[in-house]
Amino acid sequence: MNIDLKNKKIILIHGLASKPPKEVLHKLWTKCLIENIRCSNSELATMLEKTPDTFESAYWANTIPHHIEDDEDYVKKLEVRVDEVIEARKEADDFHVGIGEKVSDFFKDKGVDLVKILAGALTVKDDVMKAVLRETELYDQDQYIADKIRRPLEMAIRSAWDENQKVVIISHSMGSFIAYDVLWRFSHRNVEEFEEYKNRRVSMFITMGSPLGDPTIQNLLFGKHHRKHGKRQYPTNIDFWHNYSCLGDVVSHQENFKNIFFEDMQDHGLLKGAYQAIDYLNLHNPFQVVSHEGNKKREKRNPHKSYGYLIQPRLGTWVSDFLQDEL
């Protein structure tokens, strides 16, 4: 296979709440992605294993003052859950409800009760939303911390562009609006450290379990000040933007980005072809939560977890297309 991975960079930016140490999270995310790709292209997956520098994590969790990394015991249990998610991916290619297919029938065929998925989402809602509110409040009100949160991604993108690498950003949850803000700043900031990157582009922006459709989150963004100024309210440096939302994910709200972002961005010429902007909704997230003392009586599914997003088949094939220069 004649592929040059040296000119490619996949930058990963995580979401809210407690996280494993950086090296553990990076290992689990890249493992999910590589095994997802292996299902359709084993040769490319093997190449990725041999070129780990293709991936870089913009890890920001430790910039949050109250953040405590997951301990070793939790991490061991988490690794088991991640392996289970990967096995689920290997067993099936249909994680997306087909056109004309009933959502309830889709999940029933997988032996999963749709009502339990939705009810289970409610059992995790309070904890998840508390984390959303706590960390987004810091992002909104403490610009010193907000700058530290954005910095790892800004530096990763700049470094890749300095090496003339093509860039994909894979973002989850709060990481998606951090990435959106960073891309907006590269598009519009008139300061020296951003000026030289104004004409650089990101090949693909992937958002998973994103709250960007929420008006409250939109009011945190730099672009909010430019809603009456046409395309200035949006990043202008994205070639492809694909959004993934799993059924029952309380953070993404099942919002359709086509109506919120894509159509207006297309009208301004910022996203051009039909495949440049895609919403993948009603996805199946097979992740089951790590059992611990505080959740023994709760539903065991969490449709918001990043690992269940990273094994989505369409995400894997699109990333494969990028790596093979076939976008």
Side-chain angles (χ1 to χ4, degrees), residues 31 33 111 200 241:
K31 183 177 182 179
L33 280 167
R200 305 303 296 267
W241 182 355

Side-chain angles (χ1 to χ4, degrees), residues 11 56 58 147 150-162 182 186 193-194 197:
I11 303 174
E56 182 171 353
D147 283 338
R150 289 187 291 266
R151 197 66 176 170
L153 180 60
E154 289 176 354
M155 296 305 295
I157 295 173
R158 289 171 63 176
S159 177
W161 282 340
D162 287 343
V182 167
F186 277 122
E193 64 175 312
F194 289 96
Y197 301 104

Side-chain angles (χ1 to χ4, degrees), residues 11-166:
I11 303 174
L12 315 169
I13 177 165
H14 65 78
L16 50 87
S18 296
K19 290 288 172 286
K22 178 179 179 178
E23 63 276 9
V24 175
L25 186 67
H26 182 81
K27 179 186 74 172
L28 295 178
W29 270 45
T30 55
K31 183 177 182 179
C32 286
L33 280 167
I34 291 172
E35 293 307 317
N36 186 1
I37 290 170
R38 195 186 308 278
C39 291
S40 58
N41 193 327
S42 60
E43 190 174 353
L44 178 57
T46 300
M47 288 184 65
L48 288 169
E49 289 177 318
K50 295 178 180 178
T51 53
D53 289 346
T54 305
F55 300 98
E56 182 171 353
S57 288
Y59 188 89
W60 56 268
N62 286 334
T63 65
I64 302 296
H66 56 257
H67 179 253
I68 300 174
E69 294 177 350
D70 296 329
D71 60 33
E72 290 184 11
D73 181 60
Y74 183 91
V75 166
K76 288 179 181 178
K77 294 177 181 179
L78 176 61
E79 289 172 339
V80 172
R81 293 302 192 208
V82 170
D83 286 341
E84 291 172 352
V85 163
I86 291 170
E87 286 304 309
R89 170 64 183 94
K90 291 177 180 178
E91 293 171 3
D93 285 324
D94 57 337
F95 282 68
H96 182 244
V97 180
I99 296 174
E101 184 178 6
K102 290 184 178 180
V103 174
S104 56
D105 290 344
F106 171 83
F107 284 94
K108 185 177 180 180
D109 288 343
K110 293 185 172 297
V112 178
D113 189 321
L114 176 61
V115 174
K116 283 188 176 181
I117 288 180
L118 299 177
L122 295 176
T123 67
V124 300
K125 182 175 182 178
D126 288 345
D127 290 342
V128 170
M129 296 315 292
K130 283 178 184 176
V132 171
L133 293 171
R134 181 171 60 245
E135 296 183 11
T136 54
E137 184 178 37
L138 276 172
Y139 187 82
D140 182 41
Q141 297 183 5
D142 191 323
Q143 284 307 300
Y144 173 73
I145 291 179
D147 283 338
K148 290 180 69 176
I149 288 172
R150 289 187 291 266
R151 197 66 176 170
L153 180 60
E154 289 176 354
M155 296 305 295
I157 295 173
R158 289 171 63 176
S159 177
W161 282 340
D162 287 343
E163 296 296 323
N164 290 317
Q165 292 176 311
K166 297 178 181 179

